[in-house]
Amino acid sequence: MEILRSTKSHPTADWIYDQARKVLPSISLGTVYRNLAILKEDGQIMELSYGSTYSRYDGNPENHYHFVCLKCGRVEDVDIPVRGELEREVEKTGVGDVYYHRLEFYGLCAHCRSSRTDKPGGAGEDSR
Amino acid sequence: MEILRSTKSHPTADWIYDQARKVLPSISLGTVYRNLAILKEDGQIMELSYGSTYSRYDGNPENHYHFVCLKCGRVEDVDIPVRGELEREVEKTGVGDVYYHRLEFYGLCAHCRSSRTDKPGGAGEDSR
DNA sequence: CTTAAAATCAATAATAGTTATCAATCTAGT
DNA sequence: ACTAGATTGATAACTATTATTGATTTTAAG
Ligand SMILES: [Mn+2]
Ligand SMILES: [Mn+2]
Ligand SMILES: [Zn+2]
Ligand SMILES: [Zn+2]
């Protein structure tokens, strides 16, 4: 939980595992997954699963939106207000009861946009 | 492509495979996946990946929103207009260039809401 | 302090959707 | 008919996640 709260990077289970080993050298990946599942169940964290094969985790359990860079894979928080009114609008269509919604934006991050000088090995911070 | 266009159910690769076998009995699952990847690459279809472990496919390549039932897993189209202005709003925050966005609503579908008489085996149409 | 039950853990096996591989078959173009 | 290239079915490989297991640690009595 401390590791997850200490970063803004929406890390993968593997990255969290690496960080955890720095302080608990003998911890196993299974324990990381087990505790992430418990924290998620308890509503303290969020699991983000996009098209990728792996999940990312978010220490902020409040609903907020994300920007995913199509080039480097970075996931960043988007600083616009949550549109609660959309949920009511959807309910009016009669499709069912809406409990929550999820919104993601995809594109080219500011970091990748500026470094047009495609230097190799640029796969982002703790992407993998 | 015809199979995918003929349903509104956002099916899984497996369901498409079953349908395809009805007309091409010897087709393999690999061919289904290969052709889905080609169609997706070509922008003719969309791949929808939610929290689930498997992907669903959508014969409508135009951006539109979805409602996912937390109980039966059904995925339905949501009939509200696409909010293009959100992309511009996000770009103003300086996070990067936004190419597209994806929005999903989660809740209890009208079908599940009415059948309060929890009859077992109610896992939805072609969910799995 | 002793001891037995409960909780937690690391290590490892199992799962499952998806991809990659490859020899066989099909398709055009000549 | 001949041949190069594309497509296919069968099957193996991959990988993130989950389940299992046996051992260690923690907890709470007696
Ligand atoms: Mn976030
Ligand atoms: Mn759709
Ligand atoms: Zn980027
Ligand atoms: Zn439902």
Side-chain angles (χ1 to χ4, degrees), chain A residues 52-97:
Chain A
S52 349
T53 51
Y54 48 87
S55 286
R56 288 171 171 276
Y57 294 86
D58 192 330
N60 176 5
E62 297 297 317
N63 191 21
H64 59 282
Y65 303 149
H66 290 106
F67 174 89
V68 181
C69 178
L70 294 169
K71 191 175 170 214
C72 70
R74 206 183 303 251
V75 176
E76 299 191 40
D77 287 338
V78 160
D79 191 27
I80 66 171
V82 170
R83 299 304 205 279
E85 71 268 20
L86 290 172
E87 299 187 3
R88 274 164 263 136
E89 189 174 343
V90 169
E91 285 191 334
K92 282 207 194 93
T93 70
V95 73
D97 295 336

